[in-house]
Each structure stands twice: as structure tokens, then as C-alpha cells.
Amino acid sequence: MSYINPSDFAKKMVDAGEAKVFMSTRDTLIRAYMAGAILALAAAFAVTVTVNTGNPLIGALLFPVGFCMLYLLGFDLLTGVFTLVPLALIDRRRGVTMKGLWRNWGLVFAGNFAGAFTVAVFMAIIVTFGFSEAPNEVGQKIGHIGEGRTLGYAAHGAAGMLTLFVRAVMCNWMVSTGVVAAMMSTSVSGKIMAMWMPILIFFYMGFEHSIVNMFLFPAGLLLGGKFTIMDYLIWNEIPTVLGNMVGGLTFVGAMIYATHYKTSPARIPDTADEQPLAVPAE
């Protein structure tokens, strides 16, 4: 597997965040677009598998294939840059500023949304034969997901909003763990193994991923889901983006940075407090 120690891949995390800040606008948008599209295809695949088998676990087991593909191809998700880019700012890398951070996040958001929306349109066409008939079973499932994860939260008011936010935090705790875990290995097989586990957990547990939702909810609206654009934005996408940001940066990026990159000095034993070993009586 060619395992890399945490102290070594922690530096790779900061270096990656710095590189993303200075990436050209064209490259950032292209990589974000492709990441959003591939992850959306993986979500459509997982929903199709779940509908056809009746077993959500099988869909969740297969969903990570999309995440692994986009990572190995060097594409960028908003959830990943939420974790990596701030580390370059915290580390005071030369030329890295808040303006550069917001520029990267904004471009990646736009690219991810464009890619996911493209797949949403394509899937809506496929499951309705070009909008010439009612959605098939997969299309109906996508529409119901959109209703349950907008109006379902809204029905619980503040408690629903809290639940949505916590699910988003937990999501990027797992997704960013997958991003970082891929840095533990230099082999393709090792990277895939390390990424697969946390991505499986997030998808099967129903946590909220902002880019997956950029596909599910626009597709749901195109397929006649009984919720509105404002329902989608207020009762899903905006809180999910905020929760993803908190989860990735707080529970993954900051924690690894603090304990593996900027380690505290090791404690030195106080010899004055050492007591001689007791010698058992004969």
C-alpha cells in the first residue's frame, strides 16, 4: 500500500491547499465542473442500483466509485477545498490571502454546480424519454428524495434545520477524511481502499453533501418534485454548504494540522519525581 506517515501527508495537505489558491481560473473551473459531473453520475448510479435491487446498502457500497474516479483524475470538490485551502492560510503561506481563499471556493462552487446540473438535465431526459412521458421508477425516487430532504426538514422547524446542519457537518467529516486518507498511500489501490470506507459511511448514513444535492434537487425539480427552488436553497443547499465547511475544516483539516503538522513539544519526564522500584522482601 506504500503507507505514508501522518506527519508527511499533513504537509501534503497544506501544499495542496496552497496550490489550489494559485491555480488558474480556467483550470479551477474545468476541474470543479468535472468533479461535480462525475459525483452526480455516481449518485444517479447509486439511486438506480438502490431502486433496482431494493437494497440501499448495495447502492452505498458502489457510490464511492465516483469519488475515487474524480480524485484520481485530479478534479476538485467544494467539500475538499473547504478542508485544504484554509490550511495554507493558517500556515501563512506566502501570497495566500482570504481573497484567494474566497476566490477558490467561489470558482469551485460554480464549477461543481454546473457539472452536477448538467448531469441532472441529462438524467431527467433519460428517465422521461426526453420529457415525453412520466418519470420512470428511478426518476420518481429522485423526486421523492428532494421532497423528503427539504419539506421533511421544514416540517420540524428549527429542529429540522439543526438536524440538516449536523448531517452536513458529519458528511464532510467523512468525505474530507476520504480526501486526506488518499494521501496516506502512493499506490492507486491504496488510495482507493482508503477513500472507499469513509465515503461509504457518509452515503449510507444519509448525510448531506452539497455537491450530491446539486444534482438530486435540480433533477427532482425537473422531474416534478413537489418542492420549490426556495425550499431547496433554504432547507437544504445553503445550510448544507455551511455544515460541510464546518465539518471538513474543524474535524479534519484543523485537527490533523494541529497534531501532525504543528505538533506540541513532547513532555519530558521529571526525574525528581521518579521513585525507586520497590525491592520485594525475601
Side-chain angles (χ1 to χ4, degrees):
M1 183 176 173
S2 303
Y3 176 70
I4 298 174
N5 291 320
S7 58
D8 294 326
F9 73 70
K11 182 179 183 303
K12 293 177 64 176
M13 291 170 62
V14 183
D15 292 342
E18 180 183 17
K20 294 179 190 305
V21 170
F22 297 116
M23 189 182 299
S24 71
T25 298
R26 187 199 68 166
D27 289 346
T28 302
L29 285 172
I30 291 174
R31 295 181 191 191
Y33 178 90
M34 291 304 300
I38 291 174
L39 198 70
L41 280 167
F45 171 58
V47 172
T48 302
V49 170
T50 299
V51 169
N52 290 340
T53 64
N55 189 341
L57 179 59
I58 298 177
L61 280 167
L62 296 175
F63 170 76
V65 66
F67 183 86
C68 294
M69 287 170 56
L70 70 90
Y71 182 92
L72 293 173
L73 288 167
F75 299 145
D76 285 328
L77 289 173
L78 185 64
T79 43
V81 298
F82 273 160
T83 301
L84 299 177
V85 173
L87 299 184
L89 184 67
I90 295 170
D91 199 47
R92 299 182 179 179
R93 292 292 177 94
R94 183 176 180 182
V96 178
T97 63
M98 281 299 299
K99 181 179 178 181
L101 179 146
W102 286 110
R103 170 188 169 277
N104 174 263
W105 285 2
L107 290 173
V108 173
F109 179 96
N112 285 169
F113 185 86
F117 186 77
T118 299
V119 175
V121 173
F122 287 171
M123 284 301 301
I125 292 172
I126 290 170
V127 300
T128 62
F129 274 87
F131 300 106
S132 65
E133 61 183 44
N136 63 16
E137 193 175 356
V138 172
Q140 293 172 28
K141 177 66 173 178
I142 292 173
H144 291 321
I145 291 173
E147 293 169 8
R149 286 163 66 170
T150 53
L151 303 180
Y153 289 127
H156 291 84
M161 184 63 74
L162 175 62
T163 302
L164 167 60
F165 181 80
V166 171
R167 280 184 171 177
V169 170
M170 295 290 287
C171 171
N172 209 23
W173 190 343
M174 290 295 96
V175 172
S176 290
T177 297
V179 171
V180 172
M183 298 181 182
M184 296 177 183
S185 174
T186 57
S187 70
V188 172
S189 59
K191 289 178 181 292
I192 290 174
M193 288 173 59
M195 287 187 281
W196 207 281
M197 294 177 286
I199 303 305
L200 161 63
I201 292 171
F202 118 69
F203 197 83
Y204 187 72
M205 294 291 289
F207 297 154
E208 297 287 350
H209 192 285
S210 52
I211 293 84
V212 170
N213 293 352
M214 289 174 185
F215 158 71
L216 288 174
F217 294 89
L221 288 168
L222 290 169
L223 295 170
K226 294 179 174 58
F227 62 100
T228 67
I229 293 176
M230 291 306 296
D231 290 330
Y232 160 55
L233 293 176
I234 295 173
W235 286 100
N236 195 285
E237 191 63 43
I238 294 173
T240 297
V241 167
L242 295 175
N244 287 170
M245 179 179 66
V246 171
L249 178 56
T250 303
F251 293 104
V252 182
M255 295 297 181
I256 292 176
Y257 180 89
T259 194
H260 289 308
Y261 189 75
K262 292 291 185 181
T263 57
S264 299
R267 296 179 65 247
I268 300 174
D270 188 348
T271 55
D273 293 337
E274 291 183 359
Q275 299 295 327
L277 293 176
V279 178
E282 296 182 357

